[in-house]
Amino acid sequence: MSEQFTINIDGKEVRAMTGQTILEVARENGIFIPTLCHYKGTSNVGACRVCAIEVENARSLVAACTMPVNPGMIVRTDTERVKNARRLVVELLWSSGDHNCLTCESNGNCELQDLVYELGIEKPRFTIDPPGYDLELTNSMIARDLNKCILCGRCVRACNEIQVNDVLDFSYRSSHAKVGPAFGADYISSNCVFCGECVDACPTGAITFKSARFMGRPWETAKVKTTCTYCGVGCQLDLNIHNGKIIKVTGNREHGLPNEGSLCVKGRFGMSFVDHPDRLKTPLIRKEGELQEATWEEAYDYIADKLKMIKSEFGSDSIAGLSSARCSNEENYLFQKFMRAVIGTNNVDHCARL
Ligand code: FES
């Protein structure tokens, strides 16, 4: 059973419960502790140590994201010792990769960049030693640049714990450690289903949307929250718009249900139909063997005439209606009502059942 008690963070008495971490209690109380490897909805691994804090009587600094609270705990989050440790961690992460912000797609939307700025690091004390990985552009949806990977493991946990696809994991050790599908395969040759959860989870520019490369900076992009049109689940998503075009689709983990920010391949990468030149924007009626553009009034009159004619000649049950999972529940309700009450048949079905 959860027990309530108080702990002290930076001189402030705050309420906590058994099972919570120091990070959770701090965030609930508006106390900022930086994180990188921590990712909501996945297990706490304590990999990056950016959330280092002091706990009175502890032998060393501890990771706030993994340390459970205890009654009477005294925690300090902003001492010089804590700040120096965070600075060292961030300098090491920076120097172990090629974090060239000038052309990075995540410039302006990078948690490592934010930390470097916040900690006031001009440049790392260590020699920058990029691992020299090739940029992976072998599929049309996701670009990977492992030179910008900080091995936080967020993509691995997002893949395995949120989407449960089990495609990504760590391989090799030490400075050769890297993240990816088994046997060093690229995404397209692996079992990846291209849900794009790893792209949303990546805190740097290591995994990005290929279609959005050089299409617009994050601060030039407007986010429009909408409902996915692909199925009846009603996933909430953000269309990222630049110059009137959708350049990428991101999940917003603050939206909550039904998808908590997760998306499938269609919702994430299937929105190019919106601007596609072949998209139908007006009804077409075949006249003299040719499909010709018509107004909605002409189309409705045409459909009504044909339905009346078929019904009177062959009976109501010669007509069937198939509705769509893209419609709302209310629209589908009206459709079946129309088929039953107006056409007079129970021949009605729905593509989501197939
Ligand atoms: Fe706590 Fe990485 S956020 S160790």
Side-chain angles (χ1 to χ4, degrees):
M1 217 174 78
S2 298
E3 185 197 336
Q4 277 217 357
F5 47 83
T6 59
I7 66 169
N8 185 300
I9 305 182
D10 296 337
K12 189 174 157 193
E13 291 293 317
V14 293
R15 281 183 173 280
M17 282 197 332
T18 40
Q20 285 189 298
T21 62
I22 295 175
L23 180 69
E24 284 168 339
V25 176
R27 287 195 172 166
E28 274 177 17
N29 288 279
I31 299 165
F32 175 69
I33 297 175
T35 55
L36 275 176
C37 70
H38 175 76
Y39 195 56
K40 192 176 153 198
T42 68
S43 52
N44 296 323
V45 290
C48 73
R49 316 312 276 188
V50 158
C51 65
I53 40 131
E54 273 182 28
V55 174
E56 200 163 282
N57 297 326
R59 278 188 305 167
S60 59
L61 296 178
V62 298
C65 68
T66 53
M67 183 60 138
V69 286
N70 276 311
M73 209 173 215
I74 298 177
V75 177
R76 291 182 204 92
T77 69
D78 62 351
T79 63
E80 270 316 296
R81 186 176 166 221
V82 163
K83 285 184 199 155
N84 286 338
R86 285 179 191 159
R87 208 170 281 131
L88 177 66
V89 167
V90 172
E91 285 181 73
L92 285 166
L93 290 174
W94 183 355
S95 60
S96 63
D98 182 10
H99 298 284
N100 177 1
C101 301
L102 289 180
T103 55
C104 181
E105 274 308 311
S106 294
N107 184 8
N109 186 29
C110 170
E111 294 177 36
L112 181 65
Q113 186 186 56
D114 291 346
L115 267 175
V116 166
Y117 189 83
E118 188 191 305
L119 294 168
I121 305 169
E122 293 274 359
K123 70 174 188 179
R125 281 168 277 175
F126 314 102
T127 314
I128 295 179
D129 189 15
Y133 294 117
D134 290 335
L135 182 62
E136 181 182 315
L137 294 172
T138 48
N139 67 81
S140 60
M141 293 169 265
I142 298 174
R144 286 204 311 153
D145 182 358
L146 292 186
N147 301 298
K148 293 184 169 63
C149 176
I150 56 170
L151 297 171
C152 64
R154 277 164 55 159
C155 57
V156 174
R157 279 172 284 132
C159 179
N160 299 342
E161 296 179 24
I162 296 178
Q163 292 279 356
V164 203
N165 285 331
D166 292 331
V167 172
L168 299 180
D169 209 335
F170 290 95
S171 53
Y172 303 99
R173 287 172 178 236
S174 179
S175 58
H176 301 293
K178 62 177 187 172
V179 159
F183 309 114
D186 57 3
Y187 272 25
I188 198 73
S189 321
S190 73
N191 290 339
C192 176
V193 297
F194 290 94
C195 63
E197 195 81 27
C198 55
V199 189
D200 271 354
C202 182
T204 69
I207 313 179
T208 52
F209 293 93
K210 188 176 170 198
S211 61
R213 276 166 58 81
F214 306 111
M215 296 299 286
R217 294 298 205 179
W219 58 86
E220 299 169 328
T221 307
K223 284 194 177 190
V224 178
K225 182 186 166 192
T226 188
T227 304
C228 181
T229 55
Y230 272 105
C231 79
V233 172
C235 288
Q236 299 298 293
L237 47 82
D238 283 336
L239 301 176
N240 291 242
I241 314 280
H242 182 54
N243 286 340
K245 297 254 186 273
I246 300 169
I247 60 169
K248 63 182 174 186
V249 176
T250 46
N252 185 326
R253 304 180 89 220
E254 309 310 318
H255 285 165
L257 295 173
N259 55 315
E260 306 274 4
S262 297
L263 296 170
C264 72
V265 61
K266 290 188 284 181
R268 177 93 61 189
F269 296 107
M271 293 296 162
S272 53
F273 74 87
V274 173
D275 298 311
H276 199 282
D278 291 347
R279 183 177 171 188
L280 280 184
K281 292 182 180 149
T282 56
L284 300 177
I285 296 178
R286 194 177 298 279
K287 291 177 188 164
E288 293 158 11
E290 289 284 314
L291 283 173
Q292 294 179 18
E293 286 192 1
T295 63
W296 283 106
E297 284 68 29
E298 286 174 309
Y300 288 139
D301 288 346
Y302 184 82
I303 294 166
D305 288 346
K306 290 287 179 193
L307 286 176
K308 271 190 234 157
M309 186 269 286
I310 295 167
K311 185 176 166 180
S312 69
E313 202 166 326
F314 302 104
S316 296
D317 280 338
S318 63
I319 300 171
L322 181 65
S323 185
S324 171
R326 293 193 186 198
C327 301
S328 65
N329 281 344
E330 290 77 6
E331 287 161 338
N332 278 315
Y333 174 82
L334 286 174
F335 182 76
Q336 65 82 30
K337 198 76 181 164
F338 171 79
M339 290 304 292
R340 291 193 166 100
V342 179
I343 302 290
T345 179
N346 291 322
N347 293 339
V348 58
D349 208 344
H350 186 287
C351 67
R353 195 183 62 78
L354 302 178

